[in-house]
């Protein structure tokens, strides 16, 4: 059966204070990649053979972003506020067999990517995999070489952003026996919305890119760790008081 590979935006954070003028550059950061079913295992996006700037410029991260495993770096996407573009060339790549195999392995392990636009995380899958039939067995792997960015704005602020591959055909990575050339492209479409900036966090309150059961699992682990640290703190305080009273004698 074909695996449903669609791309979605994630819940926006509420710490951005950015305001934009028409046609002003909006920085899109690349962040991380990793297996969908284990979101705690992440790598820098530029570790994959993708479009990379000549000099990688990393974003200064807050403590919370560091603890969350973020590795944000500037991308080569040229996005301008309220400016629609169609099928711009991002870069042209010529991949070796080993690089193609690296991409194939990432797609087979259901790798997702995460970008960040105006503090809004945008997540989607690196590629497409289809398995069908038993005899004969069919195994097809494709890479998304085109992304459609859909961005909603209200006044001079960004409210929501996501990427889509709804009308895109994946670039086949099957039967590759030598260097492979490909062109990465992208489109940007802006949509005006009545959603207030203060309520952009509600835009996707009930949506999650990852399975709910996976989120609950990690929440319970975090809660358990917090309890363990609290108990350790209490034990240390009690031991220090006992030692202090013993030394006083």
């Amino acid at each position: 059966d074909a695996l449903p590979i669609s791309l979605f935006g994630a819940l926006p954070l509420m710490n951005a204070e950015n305001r934009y003028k028409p046609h002003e550059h909006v920085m899109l950061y690349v962040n991380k990649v990793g297996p969908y079913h284990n979101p705690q295992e992440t790598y820098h996006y530029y570790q994959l053979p993708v479009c990379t700037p000549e000099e990688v410029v990393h974003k200064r991260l807050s403590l919370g972003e560091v603890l969350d495993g973020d590795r944000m770096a500037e991308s080569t996407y040229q996005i301008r506020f309220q400016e629609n573009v169609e099928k711009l060339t991002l870069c042209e790549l010529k991949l070796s067999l080993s690089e193609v195999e690296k991409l194939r392995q990432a797609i087979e392990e259901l790798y997702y990517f995460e970008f960040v636009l105006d503090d809004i995380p945008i997540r989607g899958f690196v590629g497409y995999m289809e398995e069908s039939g038993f005899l004969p067995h069919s195994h097809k792997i494709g890479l998304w070489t085109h992304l459609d960015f859909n961005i909603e704005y209200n006044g001079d602020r960004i409210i929501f952003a996501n990427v889509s591959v709804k009308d895109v055909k994946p670039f086949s990575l099957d039967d590759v026996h030598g260097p492979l050339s490909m062109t990465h492209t992208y489109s940007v479409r802006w949509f005006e919305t009545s959603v207030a900036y203060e309520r952009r966090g509600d835009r996707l309150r009930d949506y999650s890119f990852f399975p709910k059961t996976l989120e609950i699992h990690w929440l319970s682990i975090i809660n358990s760790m917090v309890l363990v640290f609290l108990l350790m703190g209490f034990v240390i305080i009690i031991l220090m008081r006992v030692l202090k009273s013993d030394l006083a004698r």
Side-chain angles (χ1 to χ4, degrees), residues 124-156:
F125 288 96
V126 171
Y128 172 87
M129 183 171 68
E130 178 180 331
E131 294 187 81
S132 59
F134 181 68
L135 287 174
H137 176 69
S138 174
H139 184 77
K140 297 179 180 179
I141 291 179
L143 175 71
W144 298 122
T145 55
H146 178 84
L147 294 178
D148 289 321
F149 289 89
N150 304 298
I151 309 172
E152 296 179 9
Y153 69 96
N154 186 340
D156 56 1

Side-chain angles (χ1 to χ4, degrees), residues 79-245:
I79 298 178
R80 300 188 179 278
F81 192 66
Q82 298 182 21
E83 188 174 302
N84 294 333
V85 295
E86 290 294 331
K87 208 164 186 179
L88 284 183
T89 298
L90 183 65
C91 78
E92 295 182 359
L93 291 179
K94 188 172 184 179
L95 304 181
S96 64
L97 275 175
S98 61
E99 289 175 322
V100 172
E101 185 56 36
K102 191 172 186 178
L103 282 172
R104 284 179 56 88
Q105 184 177 349
I107 294 169
E108 286 178 336
E109 294 180 11
L110 284 184
Y111 266 41
Y112 74 95
F113 65 82
E114 181 179 287
F115 295 162
V116 178
L117 180 83
D118 195 52
D119 282 345
I120 302 173
I122 304 172
R123 300 185 182 105
F125 288 96
V126 171
Y128 172 87
M129 183 171 68
E130 178 180 331
E131 294 187 81
S132 59
F134 181 68
L135 287 174
H137 176 69
S138 174
H139 184 77
K140 297 179 180 179
I141 291 179
L143 175 71
W144 298 122
T145 55
H146 178 84
L147 294 178
D148 289 321
F149 289 89
N150 304 298
I151 309 172
E152 296 179 9
Y153 69 96
N154 186 340
D156 56 1
R157 286 181 159 179
I158 295 173
I159 304 300
F160 171 75
N162 73 355
V163 283
S164 170
V165 291
K166 182 180 179 182
D167 301 316
V168 179
K169 183 180 179 180
F171 187 94
S172 177
L173 298 182
D174 297 320
D175 301 320
V176 178
H177 305 292
L180 184 64
S181 297
M182 63 179 66
T183 301
H184 283 265
T185 59
Y186 66 100
S187 299
V188 183
R189 301 182 183 96
W190 292 83
F191 303 91
E192 191 168 9
T193 179
S194 60
V195 177
Y197 175 81
E198 291 74 19
R199 298 185 60 84
R200 76 172 187 167
D202 300 332
R203 177 69 171 77
L204 290 174
R205 179 181 294 276
D206 298 325
Y207 170 77
S208 174
F209 179 76
F210 299 108
K212 295 289 185 182
T213 52
L214 194 61
E215 288 192 345
I216 293 170
H217 173 68
W218 280 106
L219 279 174
S220 53
I221 290 177
I222 292 169
N223 288 335
S224 300
M225 289 177 64
V226 170
L227 286 173
V228 168
F229 285 129
L230 285 173
L231 289 172
M232 287 176 62
F234 289 139
V235 170
I236 291 170
I237 291 171
I238 293 169
L239 287 174
M240 286 180 66
R241 287 185 176 180
V242 171
L243 288 172
K244 188 176 180 180
S245 60

